[in-house]
Amino acid sequence: METGGEIYWDPYDAGIAQNPYPIYRRLREEKPLYYNEKYDFYAVTRFADCERGLPDWRTFSSSRGDILEIIQSGYEIPSGTLIFEDPPIHDVHRRLLSRVFTPRRIGMLEPQVRGFCTAVLDPLAGAGRFDLVEAVGAEMPMRVIGMLLGIPEADQPAIRDMADEALRTEDGQKMRFKGAESLTNEAFADYIDWRRDHPSNDLMTDLLNAEFEDENGRTRTLTRDEVLTYVNVVSNAGNETTGRLIGWIGAVLARHPEQRRELVDDPSLIRNAIEEILRYEPTGHSIARYVTRDVRFHGETVPAGSALLFIVGSANRDHRRHTDPDRFDLHRDIGQQLTFGLGGHYCLGAALARLEGRIAMEEILKRFPTWEVDWDNARLGQTSTVRGWETLPLIVG
């Protein structure tokens, strides 16, 4: 929404979220440092500013959260919420999960991930239409994360739905942040207690048994509450963002049928197509930080104590970084993009998200080389943290 020639960007406005890119373009050119008086936050939208700021944890701290509502709540983040921590404790906790999310270990998951994907797609054979989000986006990532954590299949949908509900917002309203209740799903507690006595080959068991040197130099294992926090971080991130990516695969390729035909004819192009979709329609558009000291952008000062948003959804379309950035091009030489962040908080699950996205695209295109979207019945989801399709009905054949 723009009033009287002034640019107004509101992260809670569903109307803006339908297509934020024209406003992003104006912000980059006219107000590269933007201040929203209504919600009391600053924002930067250019690639260079995000590239400069995201790795600078001393100035732009994660210790109060990376979501605007959490930063402004003043809530004290529990230990182990590594996405809401700064070094050195962040590095201690991140190393624990890094053991699990190594490229080799993620690569070994491909047969199981493909099996989950074919299991949700095979029943759709012969269908004239289906909802891609319901059939694949809401199912496949849930089963992959459930497998990693060791959650029984029958219990996975309820846990996914609770995580989705915690992130949901109404148009024009903030996320209903309720402290620990919004960050931790106590439903995992019973599984953790069970796994302590019945170890298995899963992430929960690994976390319960992993020894590490903490910030005080003491060698120990994680507490029950720390394991619960870790499990929630992995579950929420793995379900929500990857599911949205699958929805964008369906929407973007429907709008670019000539490039979809290229992918059908040459599946070797799919890896780069996933990168381009991540750049072109990122699932998360902003990363929030708490400003620890006065800092200047474009001749203006952001005072210490402020909340600042790095709008990576805008930075990925900055013409200073990418030629013709509003064009989807599966052949693009993408290089650095900011969808998964940058620096110490670069997304640990990036390799898993890419793997799931690639396999989903491969298997969808094998079965359905063409489709259209019933746009009248498609619905874009509204949350503080992600942007993606809640329903995406495909007409196939």
Side-chain angles (χ1 to χ4, degrees), residues 178-367:
K178 304 171 185 175
E181 184 183 340
S182 293
L183 295 178
T184 55
N185 184 345
E186 285 294 331
F188 287 117
D190 291 340
Y191 300 117
I192 290 170
D193 293 338
W194 169 261
R195 277 286 170 251
R196 193 178 294 279
D197 299 324
H198 303 84
S200 183
N201 182 29
D202 56 42
L203 172 58
M204 217 175 289
T205 302
D206 288 350
L207 289 173
L208 284 165
N209 295 328
E211 288 194 344
F212 69 103
E213 185 177 301
D214 68 14
E215 65 275 24
N216 300 312
R218 183 164 59 98
T219 298
R220 65 178 180 90
T221 56
L222 291 168
T223 67
R224 178 180 179 276
D225 285 347
E226 286 173 333
V227 174
L228 179 60
T229 302
Y230 270 91
V231 168
N232 273 280
V233 167
V234 172
S235 175
N236 291 344
N239 270 312
E240 183 78 6
T241 54
T242 308
R244 302 297 190 191
L245 169 59
I246 291 169
W248 283 118
I249 289 171
V252 172
L253 294 187
R255 288 173 169 147
H256 299 86
E258 71 294 340
Q259 296 192 61
R260 180 177 60 196
R261 170 49 59 186
E262 285 190 73
L263 293 167
V264 171
D265 294 341
D266 184 359
S268 71
L269 299 172
I270 287 176
R271 284 181 188 270
N272 201 63
I274 291 295
E275 289 302 302
E276 175 69 342
I277 288 174
L278 287 166
R279 179 199 71 84
Y280 186 74
E281 291 287 11
T283 55
H285 273 229
S286 66
I287 301 170
R289 293 287 187 263
Y290 176 79
V291 180
T292 62
R293 55 193 178 193
D294 289 1
V295 63
R296 290 183 68 78
F297 285 97
H298 306 284
E300 299 181 60
T301 298
V302 179
S306 301
L308 184 139
L309 297 182
F310 294 97
I311 315 278
V312 297
S314 169
N316 279 346
R317 294 203 185 197
D318 189 343
H319 74 274
R320 299 164 187 82
R321 180 65 184 83
H322 297 289
T323 303
D324 198 4
D326 291 321
R327 178 172 59 88
F328 176 73
D329 179 5
L330 65 85
H331 299 286
R332 185 185 298 276
D333 182 7
I334 297 166
Q336 181 66 57
Q337 53 148 303
L338 300 176
T339 296
F340 291 116
L342 195 64
H345 282 282
Y346 184 82
C347 177
L348 265 174
L352 180 59
R354 287 182 166 110
L355 175 70
E356 291 186 64
R358 172 175 61 82
I359 289 173
M361 190 183 288
E362 289 170 354
E363 297 298 329
I364 291 166
L365 290 173
K366 277 182 193 175
R367 293 164 176 78

Side-chain angles (χ1 to χ4, degrees), residues 138-156:
E139 291 294 317
M140 178 183 143
M142 171 191 72
R143 303 205 181 284
V144 173
I145 291 297
M147 171 192 69
L148 283 174
L149 292 175
I151 302 297
E153 279 194 30
D155 298 346
Q156 291 169 8

Side-chain angles (χ1 to χ4, degrees), residues 362-391:
E362 289 170 354
E363 297 298 329
I364 291 166
L365 290 173
K366 277 182 193 175
R367 293 164 176 78
F368 309 105
T370 63
W371 65 82
E372 294 179 3
V373 172
D374 176 4
W375 295 112
D376 290 340
N377 291 298
R379 187 172 73 251
L380 201 62
Q382 173 76 4
T383 83
S384 295
T385 54
V386 295
R387 176 175 176 267
W389 297 97
E390 294 212 341
T391 61

